[in-house]
Amino acid sequence: MRVVMIGTGYVGLVSGACFADFGHHVTCVDNNPEKIELLNRGEIPIFEPGLDELVAKNTAADRLKFVTDPAWAVGEADVVFIAVGTPTRRGDGHADLKYVYAVAEELAPMLRDYTVVVTKSTVPVGTGDEVETIIRGLAPDTEFDVASNPEFLREGAAISDFKRPDRVVVGVESDRAEQVLRTLYRPLNLNETPMVVTERSTSELIKYAANAFLAVKIGFINEIADLCDQVGANVQQVATGIGLDNRIGTKFLHAGPGYGGSCFPKDTLALSKTATKAGTPVTIVDAVIASNDQRKLAMVERIITACGGSVDGKTIAVLGLAFKPNTDDMRAAPSLVIIPELQKLGAKIRAYDPESMAEANKNFENIVYAEDAYDCLEGSHAAVILTEWDQFRALDLERVSKLLKDKVFIDLRNIYRGEELAGTELVYSSLGRPGLTG
Ligand code: UDX
């Protein structure tokens, strides 16, 4: 089929490349000419494992192209995806839909034969109705449908999440649109991927409900971890003990410094706004938003306590800046809250992150960026693991102990278990495992 993907961010670029890899002809569009030039040179503006090879393979096979002017491609397309950003609107926290609506206005006159216009961006319930109204108003004689097809891609695992999804969700208002999307996703039917077909607003809400529930799960285990610290329990064993109940499941029960990223913070807030406006506030989600914001600050307190009550004049080595491993994305990363707070209290920061230091540098001041983990530890008093990159999982702890002046090792991702710490002089602390001190 002929597919147009409007927006070449984390979602649009991965989705476009994967649809091309299914054998469709995909034209990715972006109104940023520099970005399109970069992509046409085979350079990928984001770090996503495997994406560069996927893009190279499909551009070489002439199934994937990048343009700034969508007119021709839209006129020929069976499906046009809107995959532009829906950031949190400054001030009121609603999802900012101005880019989505601008695309709807731009593409309306370009539509020719029957086309399905699909919102892939995460959009509040009712956005599809608005997009339909906009296009209908500008192209009253054109045959089209508007559908919803939310993505559930995790950064760092986006290609496998796209190709082997737990389910595909489509929200449609006509059988014709449903058939087009079933044909589009037919390559997935080969491995019986369930397709959940709903009407549009249900599909839009499924996306928010999914992300909000995952955020609730994380907020829950984070608070249980704090309780474990007080009552002498082990949060990882609690997570195992509850997660083996298949009604709960073992995933997303890892205690950490609070969730970040471009989705959970934005989507929980947007859902909260939608629900409050509808007169049915999602008070549990509201509580998790507050709990998560507070947690990032609470981590500063933990670091101060682990450093003996003050970080003034101390050099703290921060291992990991990105909001999670296998990405360079710094959006809403805990480091963005924790590092400035430590600096305010007089700490000097050395930081290392395998991928996000260039991105991070736009967000921080007066940080010394290290060459690798050990270089980061060199000359520091204490070390904090903020992101669980694989390369931080098997550090030579004897060497870590020798490098850290105060031998304070704060593991905010519970990477280390305990046995590795024996024999070192490290003063180890983590989340919800008070028995593990090194
Ligand atoms: C998320 C959803 O998983 C994905 O389905 C949706 O499409 C986009 O948002 P992403 O934000 O890329 O994906 O990352 P994810 O792996 O979900 O982690 C989100 C945050 O939760 C990260 O900050 C991560 O560190 C944190 N997290 C995740 C935990 O603290 N504990 C966990 O057990 C899992």
Side-chain angles (χ1 to χ4, degrees), residues 10 17 31 41 71 140 161 176 182 221 261 388 405 421 431:
Y10 281 93
N31 61 9
R41 285 202 305 270
D161 283 351
R176 197 175 182 188
R182 284 190 182 283
I221 203 64
E388 67 281 23
K405 289 178 186 163
L421 298 157
L431 300 175

Side-chain angles (χ1 to χ4, degrees), residues 151-155 207 211 214 218 222 252-254 256 258-264 323-324 388 413:
E151 48 76 26
F152 301 97
L153 308 178
R154 288 166 299 158
E155 290 183 40
K207 170 66 184 176
N211 268 7
L214 290 169
I218 294 165
N222 282 340
F252 276 63
L253 286 175
H254 303 296
Y259 59 73
S262 62
C263 298
F264 286 178
F323 82 94
K324 61 180 259 188
E388 67 281 23
R413 293 291 186 169

Side-chain angles (χ1 to χ4, degrees), residues 23-288:
H24 298 304
H25 282 82
V26 179
T27 304
C28 287
V29 185
D30 202 296
N31 61 9
N32 175 340
E34 288 79 44
K35 206 170 186 186
I36 293 297
E37 266 169 55
L38 206 72
L39 287 162
N40 279 322
R41 285 202 305 270
E43 292 172 44
I44 308 296
I46 55 173
F47 175 79
E48 182 62 50
L51 186 56
D52 39 6
E53 294 93 49
L54 198 69
V55 167
K57 173 185 156 193
N58 284 285
T59 40
D62 201 25
R63 285 193 301 261
L64 179 63
K65 51 172 69 72
F66 300 99
V67 300
T68 49
D69 174 1
W72 180 85
V74 169
E76 301 288 309
D78 300 300
V79 187
V80 177
F81 281 94
I82 302 178
V84 292
T86 55
T88 299
R89 193 161 63 194
R90 291 198 187 296
D92 65 9
H94 281 280
D96 189 343
L97 297 169
K98 66 173 179 260
Y99 304 111
V100 170
Y101 294 154
V103 167
E105 285 166 13
E106 184 192 4
L107 66 85
M110 299 174 181
L111 298 170
R112 296 280 170 272
D113 305 332
Y114 175 70
T115 310
V116 180
V117 178
V118 186
T119 54
K120 181 157 278 296
S121 304
T122 303
V123 292
V125 178
T127 303
D129 299 342
E130 185 57 31
V131 167
E132 182 173 311
T133 304
I134 290 171
I135 297 176
R136 183 73 66 213
L138 292 168
D141 304 325
T142 302
E143 277 195 301
F144 71 96
D145 273 313
V146 176
S148 160
N149 174 220
E151 48 76 26
F152 301 97
L153 308 178
R154 288 166 299 158
E155 290 183 40
I159 293 171
S160 58
D161 283 351
F162 192 101
K163 292 192 160 188
R164 285 173 292 284
D166 290 338
R167 77 306 197 184
V168 173
V169 174
V170 292
V172 291
E173 299 296 328
S174 76
D175 292 343
R176 197 175 182 188
E178 177 181 345
Q179 289 322 312
V180 167
L181 291 177
R182 284 190 182 283
T183 306
L184 180 74
Y185 277 103
R186 189 179 298 135
L188 284 179
N189 301 352
L190 301 180
N191 50 29
E192 289 92 51
T193 300
M195 181 172 265
V196 178
V197 182
T198 69
E199 46 90 38
R200 210 160 45 204
S201 56
T202 300
S203 169
E204 290 164 342
L205 186 53
I206 286 171
K207 170 66 184 176
Y208 281 100
N211 268 7
F213 187 80
L214 290 169
V216 167
K217 219 178 164 182
I218 294 165
F220 175 79
I221 203 64
N222 282 340
E223 293 193 345
I224 292 294
D226 290 351
L227 176 57
C228 286
D229 276 325
Q230 298 309 314
V231 299
N234 180 308
V235 69
Q236 285 174 318
Q237 290 171 340
V238 170
T240 302
I242 65 174
L244 288 170
D245 179 326
N246 62 26
R247 295 170 299 172
I248 295 173
T250 56
K251 293 185 179 169
F252 276 63
L253 286 175
H254 303 296
Y259 59 73
S262 62
C263 298
F264 286 178
K266 165 174 81 72
D267 296 350
T268 47
L269 197 52
L271 177 64
S272 172
K273 296 296 178 188
T274 300
T276 303
K277 193 174 164 196
T280 52
V282 282
T283 58
I284 294 169
V285 176
D286 290 337
V288 166

Side-chain angles (χ1 to χ4, degrees), residues 185-404:
Y185 277 103
R186 189 179 298 135
L188 284 179
N189 301 352
L190 301 180
N191 50 29
E192 289 92 51
T193 300
M195 181 172 265
V196 178
V197 182
T198 69
E199 46 90 38
R200 210 160 45 204
S201 56
T202 300
S203 169
E204 290 164 342
L205 186 53
I206 286 171
K207 170 66 184 176
Y208 281 100
N211 268 7
F213 187 80
L214 290 169
V216 167
K217 219 178 164 182
I218 294 165
F220 175 79
I221 203 64
N222 282 340
E223 293 193 345
I224 292 294
D226 290 351
L227 176 57
C228 286
D229 276 325
Q230 298 309 314
V231 299
N234 180 308
V235 69
Q236 285 174 318
Q237 290 171 340
V238 170
T240 302
I242 65 174
L244 288 170
D245 179 326
N246 62 26
R247 295 170 299 172
I248 295 173
T250 56
K251 293 185 179 169
F252 276 63
L253 286 175
H254 303 296
Y259 59 73
S262 62
C263 298
F264 286 178
K266 165 174 81 72
D267 296 350
T268 47
L269 197 52
L271 177 64
S272 172
K273 296 296 178 188
T274 300
T276 303
K277 193 174 164 196
T280 52
V282 282
T283 58
I284 294 169
V285 176
D286 290 337
V288 166
I289 293 170
S291 170
N292 192 66
D293 288 345
Q294 179 50 35
R295 183 166 191 80
K296 295 175 183 176
L297 289 167
M299 292 299 111
V300 176
E301 290 311 311
R302 273 180 180 268
I303 294 167
I304 292 166
T305 304
C307 289
S310 166
V311 293
D312 190 13
K314 294 206 172 154
T315 301
I316 311 280
V318 176
L319 295 180
L321 296 170
F323 82 94
K324 61 180 259 188
N326 301 318
T327 183
D328 60 352
D329 198 341
M330 287 293 298
R331 284 175 286 187
S335 60
L336 294 173
V337 171
I338 293 168
I339 287 179
E341 283 302 311
L342 290 173
Q343 289 177 310
K344 269 186 225 160
L345 294 164
K348 291 178 183 51
I349 302 291
R350 290 175 67 81
Y352 174 68
D353 185 288
E355 287 298 336
S356 71
M357 289 194 291
E359 190 61 25
N361 201 21
K362 301 172 192 168
N363 295 283
F364 297 118
E365 286 163 9
N366 308 322
I367 286 185
V368 174
Y369 291 100
E371 297 298 312
D372 59 36
Y374 295 112
D375 176 40
C376 187
L377 300 174
E378 180 96 41
S380 298
H381 292 85
V384 183
I385 295 182
L386 267 190
T387 313
E388 67 281 23
W389 284 96
D390 285 347
Q391 56 189 278
F392 301 152
R393 290 182 181 277
L395 294 173
D396 171 350
L397 295 182
E398 276 297 332
R399 188 173 170 196
V400 170
S401 179
K402 288 192 176 62
L403 288 169
L404 292 175

